[in-house]
Amino acid sequence: HVQLVESGGGLVQPGGSLRLSCAASGVSDNNCMAWFRQAPGKERERVSVICAGITETYYADSVKGRFTISQDNPKNTVYLRMNSLNPGDAAMYYCATRLNPTTATKRRIIAYGGREIDFAYWGQGTQVTVS
């Protein structure tokens, strides 16, 4: 079965950096992997998406230029490198995946970031605190 396990969260000072990891098991090579985040009292928001076979990636405007998503296929792991963190980045960060999307679906997800409903499998989250 599909399992996503996030790690790498923690407490960091403003301006600091963290690298989140999402270890995936039971997933196909053809997938889209995403990071979402949810702060207390706020809706879950998409942060970044990467899809197999698609060069482009998606970033929310609020993180462009500061966050970088990458994928290590042999390890089935997706990373989110977060630089210049500010208190607005504090949230629970979730990894999610959609398996076997069509090319058209991948392009739509990358263009618009995807919706929560686009991703069938979710991890438990890792907490990021900026203070």
Side-chain angles (χ1 to χ4, degrees), residues 4-121:
L4 304 175
V5 180
E6 302 96 332
S7 62
L11 173 64
V12 63
Q13 293 182 342
S17 299
L18 284 174
R19 189 182 77 161
L20 306 183
S21 299
C22 173
S25 58
V27 298
S28 59
D29 290 340
N30 182 26
N31 60 55
C32 286
M33 300 292 294
W35 287 97
F36 284 75
R37 67 186 182 185
Q38 187 169 22
K42 295 187 178 181
E43 293 186 354
R44 190 176 297 184
E45 62 173 340
R46 53 183 174 260
V47 175
S48 185
V49 184
I50 188 168
C51 293
I54 303 293
T55 302
E56 297 83 3
T57 51
Y58 170 85
Y59 294 98
D61 288 343
S62 58
V63 308
K64 279 181 182 177
R66 301 188 298 120
F67 290 12
T68 303
I69 192 170
S70 60
Q71 191 166 18
D72 185 336
N73 289 324
K75 295 183 178 179
N76 280 336
T77 300
V78 175
Y79 303 99
L80 185 68
R81 176 68 181 182
M82 306 186 296
N83 295 328
S84 302
L85 286 162
N86 60 63
D89 297 314
M92 184 72 79
Y93 282 70
Y94 297 92
C95 176
T97 187
R98 180 185 179 114
L99 303 182
N100 301 312
T102 64
T103 298
T105 296
K106 291 178 185 178
R107 295 198 181 281
R108 173 180 64 77
I109 289 175
I110 291 295
Y112 300 106
R115 304 159 296 176
E116 289 186 55
I117 197 172
D118 285 318
F119 301 92
Y121 302 96

